[in-house]
Amino acid sequence: MKSKARSYVYWPSVDKDITERVKGCHACAIAAKTSPREKPVPWPATQKPWERVHIDFAGPIDGDYFLIVVDTFTKWPEVIRTRSTTAAATIAILRTIFARFGYPETVVSDNGPQFVSAKFSEYCSSRGIQHVTTAPFHPQSNGQAECFVDTFKRSMRKIQEGGITQDEALDVFLASYRSTPNAILPDMQSPAEAMLGRKMRTALELLKPLPAAQAEPINLGRRFQRGDLVYTKFYAWNSWKWVPAQIIRELGSVMFEVHTNNQRVHRRHVNQLRQRDSAVLSGVITQWNKGGAETKQ
């Protein structure tokens, strides 16, 4: 426009006047391009786990929605499946999560109807939670949750290609994500290490050689060996009594297998056994029944 004007006319402020004219043109303004994006401004850094969490809904996926909760300090995710995205359902899910980890100081969400409702606002304010909503139609402001939602959706599709159920796929995804080292976290920690202070044990631990067992000596007042004659507790009708038995073998440091006089085999803890008196061991107690028959005990 400026070049065309200068090819026909000229005055000292021709460029400036044309610029001002265009700025004041309503038709030009409503059809203008989007202004260049400003450099993203990061959220303030958190100093401890569960200080600020970002939440969002993913779905529907196979008819279900998933409430995503991500902690900014540890990157620890919580993903809960739900059929309802109402404020009441959202509060019920968060109440369960907060029962495990406590109330965060800040919750960041988009402007979904469940998040801007009076019920959700009252829930947060009554528990000392600062609720921050992002600019409408600007998902980048809730990038922590938005990025995780994308990762979650793609991962679920990949895992379910194996034909497993949605619930199993969700468990596999969470176990993998929580135990995987994260480049954003200090020393390449996993979210589990940052959140729980320990590594999660996974099936990959089976690849490591087993440590040499260092059995500590156990000092027990009562020791039994194969063939020892003992009394064992026999349980019946909510009661018990001592019956003669014999040690068959040792199952552990405090567990033994015994058989009673009727040849029934039982497992008994050392606390359920006692030695038979030496006087009884050396002989046979003979008892005459009413008919004169001899019995042995």
Side-chain angles (χ1 to χ4, degrees):
M1 187 183 296
K2 294 177 182 177
S3 299
K4 192 171 184 179
R6 284 197 298 267
S7 66
Y8 289 97
V9 296
Y10 172 78
W11 62 89
S13 60
V14 59
D15 287 352
K16 178 181 177 182
D17 291 345
I18 291 174
T19 299
E20 294 298 326
R21 176 68 176 179
V22 172
K23 284 184 178 179
C25 175
H26 176 71
C28 297
I30 61 175
K33 294 181 178 180
T34 302
S35 302
R37 291 187 178 184
E38 295 290 336
K39 184 179 179 180
V41 178
W43 285 87
T46 50
Q47 305 300 319
K48 57 186 178 181
W50 218 243
E51 181 179 340
R52 186 179 71 243
V53 298
H54 292 241
I55 63 178
D56 195 12
F57 273 103
I61 302 175
D62 297 333
D64 294 318
Y65 291 88
F66 296 84
L67 180 61
I68 308 292
V69 181
V70 184
D71 175 45
T72 57
F73 186 80
T74 64
K75 312 307 176 188
W76 176 273
E78 289 286 332
V79 182
I80 307 297
R81 187 177 67 167
T82 179
R83 286 294 179 96
S84 174
T85 61
T86 64
T90 303
I91 291 172
I93 296 172
L94 292 177
R95 186 172 61 242
T96 301
I97 297 174
F98 294 164
R100 292 195 292 270
F101 300 108
Y103 297 124
E105 295 180 15
T106 305
V107 168
V108 180
S109 73
D110 59 19
N111 291 269
Q114 61 277 96
F115 299 131
V116 297
S117 67
K119 179 178 288 188
F120 190 84
S121 178
E122 191 277 332
Y123 174 80
C124 291
S125 62
S126 64
R127 286 155 180 81
I129 303 172
Q130 181 187 12
H131 180 211
V132 178
T133 56
T134 60
F137 307 105
H138 194 258
Q140 297 89 336
S141 297
N142 196 17
Q144 183 75 79
E146 291 290 336
C147 289
F148 184 84
V149 166
D150 180 64
T151 301
F152 167 71
K153 288 181 177 179
R154 288 186 290 105
S155 298
M156 288 289 286
R157 285 197 298 268
K158 295 174 185 177
I159 297 171
Q160 286 187 279
E161 280 296 315
I164 66 175
T165 65
Q166 189 182 75
D167 286 339
E168 186 178 354
L170 177 58
D171 291 337
V172 170
F173 166 73
L174 286 176
S176 177
Y177 190 93
R178 290 167 174 171
S179 60
T180 300
N182 192 310
I184 299 177
L185 297 176
D187 302 323
M188 286 288 291
Q189 289 182 313
S190 66
E193 290 178 274
M195 187 70 175
L196 306 176
R198 62 176 178 83
K199 289 186 177 180
M200 283 181 62
R201 187 175 186 273
T202 67
L204 294 176
E205 295 295 323
L206 300 177
L207 298 175
K208 297 181 179 180
L210 294 176
Q214 301 290 335
E216 297 183 0
I218 301 176
N219 298 320
L220 296 176
R222 286 169 290 176
R223 298 298 303 170
F224 301 104
Q225 297 179 351
R226 178 183 175 88
D228 284 356
L229 300 179
V230 296
Y231 285 109
T232 184
K233 286 185 176 182
F234 181 79
Y235 297 87
W237 302 104
N238 296 324
S239 183
W240 63 269
K241 63 180 179 179
W242 291 109
V243 299
Q246 187 175 20
I247 300 294
I248 299 176
R249 59 180 176 141
E250 185 175 356
L251 300 177
S253 57
V254 294
M255 190 72 69
F256 297 87
E257 196 172 73
V258 303
H259 69 74
T260 54
N261 284 356
N262 60 6
Q263 300 305 311
R264 292 184 61 183
V265 177
H266 307 272
R267 287 189 307 114
R268 291 292 184 264
H269 191 277
V270 67
N271 292 338
Q272 298 169 309
L273 303 171
R274 67 181 178 89
Q275 292 179 338
R276 281 200 251 176
D277 187 76
S278 59
V280 178
L281 295 176
S282 62
V284 177
I285 300 177
T286 304
Q287 179 181 7
W288 295 91
N289 57 19
K290 294 182 180 180
E294 188 178 44
T295 60
K296 296 180 180 179
Q297 295 185 350

